[in-house]
Amino acid sequence: MTTSTDYPFRTGQLRRAGVLMKLPRVVMSAVVWLLVIEALPGIAAWGVLAVVVAGTAAGVVAEQVIVRLVWWARHPSTPLAVPGDPGVRVWVTGRQAAGIGQAGRRHLVVPATWIGRSDLPALLTRARQRQLVSAGRFDVAYQWFTWPLQLLAASAVGFAHSTSWLPLIGFAWRLRIGVAGIAVWQTVVAGQRAATVGIFMVIGLTYLLPWTRARHERLVSQALADLERRSATPAASATRRPVVLPVRPPATHAGRRSCTSVGRRGPEPCGQWRSPARQVTCTGEGIRGRAHDPRTSGRKGSRS
């Protein structure tokens, strides 16, 4: 990796997939914020609204502040850098993480437990490649605005994992479309239109959110694979051995050979060039001591 310009930016398909993945989550986060603001008294509600707006704006113009708050990040005691790309800022967080996190386009967050690993430079390079392929301009602002939803989602996932061993709950989740159909029928019969719309939205989101994330991850993986293939092609062509083409031996005479050849099985196609003949020496009459083609058997001066 040399500079960030050596790697492609996000394609149009990746941008659309990113918007499709983030848009439902932004809408849900807005609903959560509105519910929180509505539940608070006047001054507290205005304070929460100011925090939300100011944090979202700071995610665009002051990314470092939001990175510190959202990821609990700090500067590493030993400076870290991405090989070949010194413009990227590497932070360290004490939070538990499965890998290196990306914050916007210019920040990477490394778990503190990973400091000192021998393969950390390679992992930073890989994370930087993924960042250049998938990161958007407003990712930090998005992380700030949706952190309540992310907190609720993490709590829901933890609860689901803790109760997934119960057969009835797991069976109901797999058949949630049928359970939702029964609930929708009951709300329609009771005339509760708001409940019907709410059930449709909740069940639809349980299918939409995983699908959008999986599609975005698939496109990012394809882009990274294409990037690796493109970077490996010049190296392969540089080390490729030259191809030696076979050289046809020159013909011993002008013209073409006859349709049949003595000493070969069956006739051969016409129009083929004859290879150089092997010369032998014989003691035949008239050409004693001279060299001639052994295929002239039966002629004057041959061995027979």
Side-chain angles (χ1 to χ4, degrees):
M1 182 174 182
T2 55
T3 60
S4 60
T5 56
D6 291 341
Y7 294 90
F9 295 101
R10 301 171 66 196
T11 61
Q13 189 178 17
L14 268 172
R15 288 191 181 95
R16 291 189 295 270
V19 171
L20 184 61
M21 180 187 68
K22 295 174 182 177
L23 184 60
R25 294 167 172 83
V26 170
V27 174
M28 296 171 62
S29 300
V31 173
V32 172
W33 281 118
L34 289 176
L35 292 176
V36 172
I37 293 173
E38 184 67 22
L40 294 176
I43 298 179
W46 283 105
V48 171
L49 180 61
V51 169
V52 173
V53 174
T56 304
V60 179
V61 298
E63 290 186 351
Q64 297 185 23
V65 178
I66 305 303
V67 169
R68 285 176 174 270
L69 293 176
V70 175
W71 281 269
W72 301 351
R74 54 179 175 82
H75 287 290
S77 56
T78 302
L80 299 175
V82 178
D85 199 345
V88 181
R89 297 188 178 183
V90 182
W91 304 79
V92 176
T93 179
R95 298 171 56 181
Q96 297 294 330
I100 298 176
Q102 62 183 43
R105 293 181 173 180
R106 307 299 301 177
H107 303 275
L108 294 176
V109 184
V110 181
T113 55
W114 287 32
I115 302 299
R117 292 181 52 165
S118 59
D119 58 343
L120 185 58
L123 294 174
L124 287 172
T125 301
R126 178 71 176 179
R128 179 57 179 161
Q129 292 177 358
R130 180 182 178 87
Q131 187 178 41
L132 289 170
V133 169
S134 62
R137 180 179 179 183
F138 304 105
D139 279 5
V140 176
Y142 166 80
Q143 293 288 341
W144 170 261
F145 188 77
T146 59
W147 73 262
L149 180 64
Q150 296 179 21
L151 182 61
L152 293 176
S155 303
V157 170
F159 176 77
H161 281 296
S162 62
T163 58
S164 60
W165 60 274
L166 296 175
L168 183 59
I169 294 180
F171 180 74
W173 176 254
R174 287 190 294 269
L175 296 180
R176 61 187 181 276
I177 186 67
V179 176
I182 296 173
V184 166
W185 174 256
Q186 292 178 351
T187 55
V188 169
V189 172
Q192 301 175 352
R193 296 181 180 179
T196 304
V197 175
I199 293 174
F200 268 118
M201 292 182 60
V202 171
I203 297 301
L205 289 173
T206 61
Y207 288 97
L208 179 63
L209 297 181
W211 178 78
T212 55
R213 184 178 295 277
R215 181 173 180 269
H216 184 262
E217 291 295 330
R218 183 176 67 254
L219 292 176
V220 169
S221 300
Q222 292 177 0
L224 290 175
D226 294 341
L227 181 61
E228 291 181 356
R229 193 181 305 111
R230 194 180 303 117
S231 61
T233 300
S237 60
T239 58
R240 186 178 300 171
R241 295 182 179 180
V243 178
V244 180
L245 298 177
V247 180
R248 178 181 294 177
T252 57
H253 62 86
R256 302 182 182 274
R257 64 185 306 175
S258 60
C259 296
T260 60
S261 175
V262 179
R264 296 181 180 272
R265 297 182 180 179
E268 293 183 357
C270 297
Q272 295 187 359
W273 292 95
R274 184 171 60 181
S275 60
R278 182 172 56 90
Q279 303 293 324
V280 298
T281 303
C282 67
T283 58
E285 182 181 356
I287 56 171
R288 181 181 303 275
R290 297 181 182 180
H292 71 93
D293 191 344
R295 287 177 290 182
T296 59
S297 59
R299 299 179 184 179
K300 182 178 179 180
S302 63
R303 295 181 183 180
S304 56

